[in-house]
Amino acid sequence: MTKAAQVHLYDTTLRDGAQQGGISFSVEDKLKIARKLDELGIHYIEGGWPGSNPKDAEFFRKGRELQLSRAALVAFGSTRRPNIKPGQDANLNALIAAGTRAVCLVGKSWDRQVTLVLETTLEENLAMIAESTEFLKSKGLEVFFDAEHFFDGCKSNPDYAMETLKAADYAGASCIILCDTNGGTLPEEVASMVAAAQKELTASLGIHAHDDGELAVANSLMAVAAGAVQVQGTINGYGERCGNANLCSIIPALELKMGIPCVGAERLKKLAEVSRFVSELANVRPFPRQPYVGTRAFAHKAGLHVSGLNKWEESYQHIDPDAVGNRSGVLVSELSGVSNIIYKARERGLPVPHGDEARRILEQVKLLESRGFQYEEAEASFELLVRRAQPDHRSPFELVDFMVVIEGRRRPAAGGGEMLAEAMVKVKVGDQVIHTASEGDGPVNALDMALRKALTWFYPQVAKVQLVDYKVRILEESAGTESQVRVLIESTDGEHQWRTVGPVY
Ligand SMILES: [Zn+2]
């Protein structure tokens, strides 16, 4: 096996990635993502399938003005239809019209796919691959050939699968990409089939893996170890079914672990940012536990680990998170040790507790978690605990008592009912006791209004604080409506966002 000296990254987020259910990029989104991928140092950006929809054709029209510094846009399309001349094929003509320097042509390598799905002969499929490649080459284009279902084809009919690669090779394709289209191939199979293909071809090899067996990253790296020099994948592994090979894991593995340059150390630091940027435009919530780039990828919860981390930063981390633009974090919970409390306080710029003070905070965290609080997600509540532990701490206000009256009226004629709520709140600020009342469209709204009335008198900035979101979780599922619940509340003052937690009895 000959390991590649350099690997070219080929991103297909805008084509294969967009095939994930729920993702739909506008042309503007695609242009923004292309710019971002260029900043990251991706070599080829597959913009779409111009023959299949007008949106992708428009992307290529506007893409000409992108002025990318490093990346080349690539248009994607399939080999000509059976029994026609390449020049008569609308799809091939759309590929040329896209105006890119390189194109990616997909063709079939699995004999059963040819006869059952394409419904043509094995010979005609070879002619379709060869003639389409030659036709595009004759127009001055660089041709990459995606050998669809290559690995499955190799198991079914290895001689024929190899013939399809040779057809593209002889016709002048510069890179032949072996595709694990159904995503079920094992890493050792990938390694041996890539090595076998390499012996037969003059073109360089690439890999395009899908994640149906959760092996797309492993398969891509095995292919590179066996000599592949182009890796196709998507940001965050977006793609149909279980997704495509995740470039956010492949890139750092190549750079940091295999010592194969692809984007370089400086651009690698943009990886976490690019991952979040694409998830934002894809409107897919980022996965916190995503390797390398997730917010939890370097978050430590166990006390023992944090204590190690305080002594030696990489004692429980496989890489320095800074290398991929991520950072370490510490979670505070009932599994914490004193080290978590100290680390977290320092990280949040709070007064750092020591000795007995830190131990007291830890005991309180454990006691409150046993009653239903959960500090992991509620860093503002942790901040309150630390501040309250300060010897000179004075509470900005005290809640003396409150009362809420709720009245529900049924209005069958209007198809429902209405709720009226009134709250009375008594708070103490310094030596003053303030008593306020307010109405609201529900008990929470009424209490909120009454408390604001009292507090804004002393703290006008409270007026800006808004509820963003809240989550309620039942603590004892078997207790029905008697059960205790925990509420996680997200608030903002328009500038910052924070989360607090509290149990409700
Ligand atoms: Zn694919």
Side-chain angles (χ1 to χ4, degrees):
M1 288 203 277
T2 45
K3 195 171 79 174
Q6 217 225 335
V7 160
H8 281 159
L9 301 166
Y10 182 109
D11 179 278
T12 177
T13 306
L14 303 180
R15 202 268 308 167
D16 231 0
Q19 281 172 222
Q20 174 166 316
I23 293 183
S24 170
F25 295 122
S26 66
V27 173
E28 210 42 53
D29 291 339
K30 286 181 142 202
L31 293 166
K32 280 185 197 155
I33 291 173
R35 251 182 243 121
K36 208 71 180 170
L37 294 172
D38 183 48
E39 280 172 31
L40 176 63
I42 298 288
H43 305 86
Y44 297 102
I45 300 170
E46 192 174 80
W49 189 327
S52 79
N53 67 75
K55 190 160 91 177
D56 285 1
E58 190 191 340
F59 168 81
F60 286 106
R61 252 194 319 279
K62 293 194 169 160
R64 282 173 215 156
E65 275 123 56
L66 269 178
Q67 292 180 328
L68 302 174
S69 66
R70 165 159 161 162
L73 290 182
V74 181
F76 178 88
S78 62
T79 49
R80 69 158 171 80
R81 281 179 292 121
N83 311 313
I84 59 166
K85 295 253 172 281
Q88 299 168 327
D89 189 273
N91 177 50
L92 290 182
N93 286 320
L95 270 179
I96 297 162
T100 57
R101 174 169 71 69
V103 291
C104 186
L105 188 68
V106 62
K108 299 215 178 285
S109 280
W110 186 357
D111 56 353
R112 285 168 66 84
Q113 287 277 339
V114 176
T115 49
L116 296 177
V117 180
L118 202 58
E119 296 177 327
T120 190
T121 63
L122 297 183
E123 294 69 32
E124 175 61 8
N125 180 52
L126 293 176
M128 286 157 63
I129 295 171
E131 288 173 23
S132 305
T133 306
E134 272 163 16
F135 176 67
L136 294 168
K137 283 282 295 177
S138 75
K139 304 290 176 191
L141 294 167
E142 181 176 11
V143 181
F144 301 143
F145 178 69
D146 261 11
E148 196 187 34
H149 293 116
F150 170 75
F151 297 98
D152 294 308
C154 233
K155 289 180 198 167
S156 158
N157 184 344
D159 291 340
Y160 184 73
M162 211 57 82
E163 283 306 309
T164 62
L165 305 188
K166 285 181 189 164
D169 192 25
Y170 296 154
S174 64
C175 186
I176 293 176
I177 297 96
L178 310 179
C179 301
D180 187 23
T181 310
N182 293 0
T185 308
L186 295 171
E188 59 189 31
E189 295 169 335
V190 169
S192 67
M193 292 180 202
V194 170
Q198 202 171 35
K199 282 195 199 126
E200 307 275 340
L201 304 171
T202 54
S204 60
L205 289 182
I207 179 78
H208 176 114
H210 277 260
D211 208 27
D212 301 70
E214 214 178 5
L215 291 166
V217 170
N219 285 342
S220 303
L221 299 179
M222 281 304 265
V224 170
V229 294
Q230 185 188 104
V231 178
Q232 300 196 347
T234 61
I235 297 297
N236 300 328
Y238 295 150
E240 208 158 306
R241 306 187 310 275
C242 310
N244 281 57
N246 186 353
L247 287 179
C248 293
S249 296
I250 291 171
I251 297 170
L254 290 173
E255 283 276 350
L256 303 173
K257 294 171 188 240
M258 293 170 76
I260 298 175
C262 51
V263 296
E266 265 319 296
R267 290 171 189 257
L268 186 60
K269 288 193 164 88
K270 293 177 182 287
L271 191 68
E273 180 205 328
V274 172
S275 159
R276 283 193 285 272
F277 182 85
V278 175
S279 73
E280 185 84 15
L281 290 188
N283 203 13
V284 174
R285 194 181 279 268
F287 178 42
R289 287 170 52 238
Q290 186 172 330
Y292 296 98
V293 295
T295 50
R296 288 285 168 86
F298 302 96
H300 305 275
K301 182 164 166 176
L304 183 71
H305 291 193
V306 178
S307 146
L309 205 70
N310 274 330
K311 292 172 195 158
W312 172 31
E313 194 74 37
E314 288 182 20
S315 53
Y316 287 92
Q317 296 181 163
H318 69 127
I319 58 157
D320 174 3
D322 192 43
V324 291
N326 206 345
R327 59 191 184 99
S328 303
V330 158
L331 304 174
V332 166
S333 77
E334 58 195 342
L335 300 180
S336 296
V338 170
S339 318
N340 297 56
I341 305 290
I342 295 170
Y343 194 107
K344 192 84 198 165
R346 197 178 292 140
E347 184 188 271
R348 296 189 59 82
L350 300 170
V352 179
H354 290 288
D356 283 347
E357 197 185 326
R359 256 186 294 282
R360 270 200 303 278
I361 296 174
L362 178 64
E363 274 161 28
Q364 249 198 311
V365 167
K366 292 189 179 195
L367 177 74
L368 291 169
E369 287 225 344
S370 73
R371 291 183 188 161
F373 278 76
Q374 198 186 32
Y375 283 92
E376 239 181 270
E377 301 282 350
E379 299 192 315
S381 287
F382 173 72
E383 186 166 338
L384 284 174
L385 266 189
V386 175
R387 291 198 185 280
R388 282 176 187 148
Q390 293 294 299
D392 56 350
H393 174 78
R394 289 191 62 213
S395 185
F397 73 94
E398 272 171 61
L399 178 67
V400 181
D401 58 38
F402 69 91
M403 194 168 80
V404 190
V405 182
I406 309 167
E407 189 189 345
R409 283 186 202 151
R410 249 173 71 76
R411 293 174 65 196
E418 60 180 0
M419 192 190 274
L420 292 170
E422 195 176 344
M424 276 154 281
V425 171
K426 207 188 282 178
V427 291
K428 192 174 169 199
V429 179
D431 295 333
Q432 268 182 282
V433 174
I434 307 106
H435 199 161
T436 56
S438 184
E439 286 181 339
D441 60 9
V444 174
N445 181 229
L447 269 173
D448 179 33
M449 304 289 276
L451 192 58
R452 269 171 204 272
K453 245 189 219 176
L455 292 182
T456 41
W457 191 259
F458 300 92
Y459 307 106
Q461 60 270 46
V462 167
K464 287 193 208 156
V465 176
Q466 288 266 350
L467 172 72
V468 177
D469 199 1
Y470 69 95
K471 287 187 193 119
V472 180
R473 160 105 58 93
I474 285 189
L475 296 177
E476 316 134 278
E477 286 170 15
S478 57
T481 52
E482 277 180 33
S483 59
Q484 235 186 61
V485 296
R486 180 180 69 220
V487 188
L488 184 74
I489 295 172
E490 206 169 324
S491 313
T492 182
D493 60 0
E495 222 175 299
H496 304 100
Q497 212 144 313
W498 64 89
R499 282 180 296 203
T500 48
V501 69
V504 179
Y505 299 96

